[in-house]
Amino acid sequence: MASRARVRAPELIGRGGWLNTGGTDLTLTDLRGRIVILDFWTFCCVNCLHVLDELRELEEKHRDTVVIVGVHSPKFVHEAEHQAVVDAVERYEVHHPVLDDPELATWKQYAVRAWPTLVVIDPEGYVVAQHAGEGHAHALEALVGQLEAEHAAKGTLRRGDGPYVPPEPVPTELRFPGKALSLPGGTFLVSDTTRHQLVELAADGESVVRRIGAGERGLTDGTSERARFSEPQGLAMLPDGTVAVADTVNHALRRFDPATGEVTTLAGTGRQWWQGSPTEGPAPEVDLSSPWDVAWFADRLWIAMAGVHQLWTYDPEAGTVRAAAGTTNEGLVDGPAEEAWFAQPSGLAAAGDRLWIADSETSAVRYVERDGKGFTVRTAVGTGLFDFGHRDGAADQALLQHPLGVTALPDGSVAISDTYNHALRRYDPATDEVSTLATDLREPSGAALADGDIVVVESARHRLTRLRLPEEAVRVEAVAHRTQRAATDIAPGTLRLDVVFQAPEGQKLDTRYGPSTRLLVSSTPPELLAGGDGAGTDLSRELVLTEGVTEGVLHVSAMAASCDDDPMNEYPACHVHQQDWGVPVRITEGGADRLPLVLAGMDD
């Protein structure tokens, strides 16, 4: 940043304690002399997972000067469980210290409003920058270089090994498996996500028949021994007998041929899709974003594109991909497919004329069905981003907690891998009721049918578990939750919304093809806003609050594009910064009349 305010960084506190430090509690005093990057994340958030991947190169390149500290700040109740955080740190290969902050103590001290948020602390212990959302790796690299030079000259930079201590590895046949597929010969194909492989298991669901993939991150085609994946998830049988694989962190769609063992790439470039990138075209030339599951439906392969809150399709005949449903805005809105909103769709299952969807961040089960010449999106269970729990009964009252999988059952109902409730649930369209089939499953993330049974992927127990489909569902005591973030008190009348964006050092806003910023505002309930909602290009806006509405959630989506400011370079590199916020608000006399949301920089 060109000028940086001198704000002393608050201490790091969290009731859950520290991970990846060998049992040592860290303080900012311990880290004095190092550049510290706080990564406020929660493991349900796909944008947070993108940032973990963005930080890997920076972390390796500046290992002797930079300490990244993950501050785990939960949204869902399950994410406040310490063991769940321990599992997530291993699952996503987090190779830096992590503070488990289940009560959001440090989140509040740093006035964080969104996942993910990055805060940079200089070697003298002062906050010098804040970035919300994705796409800030280039800006951080520039700032780290600037801080290294500045503090080396002052004598305040301390080089050396960081405080990261890796945990002891645990030997298991599978490690955080994601999805499972029943193969025609009676075996199971499982995405062994953390080991970056596919594993074929015998009919007993335990014995390893073969492993597909070298077991290291990469995007490499070839034989089972040579091929490489990066955290693969969804699996689907294609009409030709091969298997489509959602290669999530590679942002690619792969194909595995069980007969030959060969792995090839069907779609994706290995690069993450950003706003403004093509949304259709030849499959190998179009960027994708964290494909999480796949299913064959309506003569196409449908892709749950969790990273951009959409559904895409792949046409094997034409060799093309296209966005089929969703606007990239995060939320729960039904209607024509191209107008619908999703929130990290993570599970798909085709059944007759419906494609069932586990829409994880809205804790919802939704479906796509044909409507004349097009498709329509409808919601079976779920109400939005902030309501979740474990409640059976009528679908309009039932609650789930971050489901990651759906499985079509023979009777026309749908089994739901209700991940954060550690349960297998069932939705019956005939009765419009939700029930519980099984509990005491550890983070179930998918399931497959086999000989009248259902085989559940218990991701956090690293195994497949076979269950009988009961004739009568189990009932559990109802529990309801709302996200625990405190509401922001705002004054009635008019609220000034400011999205703070300062182009990183050495960059400028890219206005060559028109406005370089975008702002979209909506609310839950919609009646909260009497004016100021909708899309625009100005990052500041006056919002008019409806008289008589006392609380709700403001949904804000912002994007800014900046390019390297080098007049000698005809083709400067450009960078997209984007973030979605859901800000719970309470309207009260004496509340704030301005709401600042930091996309990049500091709010002065």
Side-chain angles (χ1 to χ4, degrees):
M1 297 297 139
S3 69
R4 299 193 295 274
R6 299 288 285 176
V7 179
R8 177 65 73 178
E11 192 50 81
L12 306 177
I13 53 175
R15 184 172 56 81
W18 288 89
L19 305 176
N20 283 355
T21 63
T24 300
D25 291 345
L26 298 181
T27 67
L28 286 177
T29 301
D30 300 327
L31 301 175
R32 195 63 52 81
R34 311 298 289 273
I35 300 164
V36 178
I37 300 175
L38 302 182
D39 176 17
F40 289 87
W41 69 299
T42 187
F43 63 78
C44 73
C45 163
V46 71
N47 309 93
C48 300
L49 304 185
H50 291 167
V51 167
L52 283 175
D53 291 319
E54 288 178 2
L55 291 175
R56 293 186 199 279
E57 183 177 347
L58 178 83
E59 187 170 28
E60 184 60 36
K61 182 177 178 180
H62 299 276
R63 188 168 292 280
D64 64 334
T65 59
V66 172
V67 175
I68 296 174
V69 174
V71 182
H72 189 269
S73 312
K75 171 186 175 180
F76 290 99
V77 170
H78 169 58
E79 292 174 314
E81 298 175 15
H82 182 68
Q83 185 57 47
V85 181
V86 172
D87 289 343
V89 167
E90 180 189 351
R91 180 195 299 264
Y92 297 116
E93 296 184 323
V94 180
H95 293 165
H96 51 248
V98 173
L99 176 64
D100 181 10
D101 183 19
E103 296 167 344
L104 303 182
T106 296
W107 165 287
K108 294 170 186 173
Q109 286 291 310
Y110 282 82
V112 175
R113 295 186 183 275
W115 298 278
T117 291
L118 298 167
V119 175
V120 182
I121 302 170
D122 73 11
E124 295 179 274
Y126 291 93
V127 175
V128 294
Q130 181 172 328
H131 301 269
E134 305 176 49
H136 302 294
H138 183 271
L140 288 173
E141 175 67 41
L143 178 57
V144 164
Q146 181 181 338
L147 290 171
E148 285 177 338
E150 177 184 327
H151 288 274
K154 291 174 66 176
T156 50
L157 183 69
R158 176 168 57 89
R159 296 179 180 270
D161 293 335
Y164 170 65
V165 178
E168 289 293 324
V170 180
T172 53
E173 294 289 7
L174 302 173
R175 205 69 193 163
F176 298 104
K179 307 287 186 182
L181 176 68
S182 294
L183 295 178
T187 59
F188 298 97
L189 189 66
V190 183
S191 53
D192 197 16
T193 303
T194 300
R195 293 204 177 116
H196 315 297
Q197 291 180 317
L198 309 180
V199 179
E200 185 177 356
L201 298 178
D204 61 8
E206 298 179 7
S207 306
V208 175
V209 176
R210 60 175 163 170
R211 295 184 180 275
I212 299 96
E216 297 178 354
R217 287 185 189 273
L219 180 53
T220 305
D221 290 342
T223 63
S224 293
E225 296 77 21
R226 182 176 181 272
R228 290 192 178 193
F229 302 91
S230 187
E231 298 183 29
Q233 286 281 348
L235 306 165
M237 190 70 69
L238 295 172
D240 65 1
T242 63
V243 177
V245 182
D247 195 5
T248 305
V249 177
N250 275 328
H251 310 296
L253 190 66
R254 314 290 292 282
R255 174 165 54 195
F256 166 61
D257 187 340
T260 66
E262 287 287 318
V263 175
T264 54
T265 299
L266 294 175
T269 62
R271 298 184 301 269
Q272 184 182 338
W273 186 94
W274 289 100
Q275 292 287 350
S277 300
T279 56
E280 62 179 314
E285 301 174 15
V286 178
D287 299 340
L288 308 181
S289 182
S290 297
W292 210 277
D293 203 6
V294 282
W296 186 261
F297 173 71
D299 300 320
R300 297 287 188 276
L301 185 73
W302 288 65
I303 309 164
M305 204 73 76
V308 285
H309 318 298
Q310 289 182 307
L311 304 181
W312 287 39
T313 58
Y314 166 71
D315 181 351
E317 291 286 330
T320 56
V321 292
R322 62 178 294 270
T327 64
T328 76
N329 295 316
E330 184 178 16
L332 193 156
V333 176
D334 290 341
E338 62 275 9
E339 300 174 12
W341 291 23
F342 298 95
Q344 282 180 222
S346 301
L348 299 176
D353 59 356
R354 287 183 178 178
L355 176 69
W356 293 97
I357 306 153
D359 202 28
S360 62
E361 279 292 287
T362 54
S363 297
V365 170
R366 307 172 71 186
Y367 59 91
V368 172
E369 63 181 0
R370 286 191 184 276
D371 184 11
K373 295 182 179 180
F375 295 94
T376 298
V377 176
R378 306 188 194 281
T379 298
V381 186
T383 59
L385 286 164
F386 300 98
D387 294 291
F388 54 91
H390 192 150
R391 180 194 289 155
D392 288 336
D396 60 356
Q397 298 294 316
L399 293 173
L400 310 168
Q401 187 179 179
H402 198 79
L404 289 178
V406 281
T407 307
L409 299 179
D411 65 355
S413 64
V414 182
I416 307 160
S417 294
D418 193 6
T419 309
Y420 288 2
N421 278 328
H422 309 300
L424 188 68
R425 311 285 292 283
R426 175 177 176 262
Y427 169 66
D428 186 351
T431 62
D432 204 30
E433 294 269 329
V434 174
S435 55
T436 299
L437 296 175
T439 57
D440 192 32
L441 300 167
R442 188 69 185 172
E443 292 191 18
S445 55
L449 297 178
D451 300 324
D453 295 338
I454 189 165
V455 178
V456 181
V457 180
E458 279 199 88
S459 188
R461 283 199 178 116
H462 319 292
R463 70 187 189 193
L464 303 187
T465 298
R466 185 182 289 260
L467 302 172
R468 286 285 179 189
L469 285 171
E471 294 182 9
E472 295 295 329
V474 178
R475 279 216 174 244
V476 300
E477 185 176 348
V479 179
H481 301 290
R482 283 185 66 83
T483 187
Q484 63 171 315
R485 280 187 294 162
T488 298
D489 288 338
I490 59 175
T494 301
L495 176 70
R496 180 174 178 82
L497 171 66
D498 288 324
V499 173
V500 178
F501 178 77
Q502 299 161 5
E505 186 79 14
Q507 295 181 33
K508 63 180 181 179
L509 289 175
D510 177 17
T511 57
R512 291 172 298 167
Y513 307 108
S516 61
T517 56
R518 186 188 70 168
L519 181 65
L520 177 68
V521 180
S522 62
S523 65
T524 302
E527 297 77 28
L528 174 65
L529 291 179
D533 57 336
T537 57
D538 195 336
L539 292 182
S540 294
R541 190 178 299 181
E542 298 288 333
L543 305 181
V544 181
L545 303 167
T546 302
E547 186 176 354
V549 179
T550 59
E551 63 179 5
V553 178
L554 290 175
H555 304 286
V556 180
S557 178
M559 186 271 288
S562 60
C563 290
D564 293 347
D565 189 8
D566 181 0
M568 302 301 292
N569 186 353
E570 185 179 357
Y571 302 104
C574 296
H575 313 274
V576 176
H577 316 261
Q578 62 185 49
Q579 174 61 17
D580 297 330
W581 291 268
V583 183
V585 295
R586 181 171 52 234
I587 293 84
T588 180
E589 294 293 341
D593 60 5
R594 176 177 178 265
L595 178 62
L597 300 175
V598 178
L599 178 60
M602 298 285 286
D603 179 33
D604 300 326

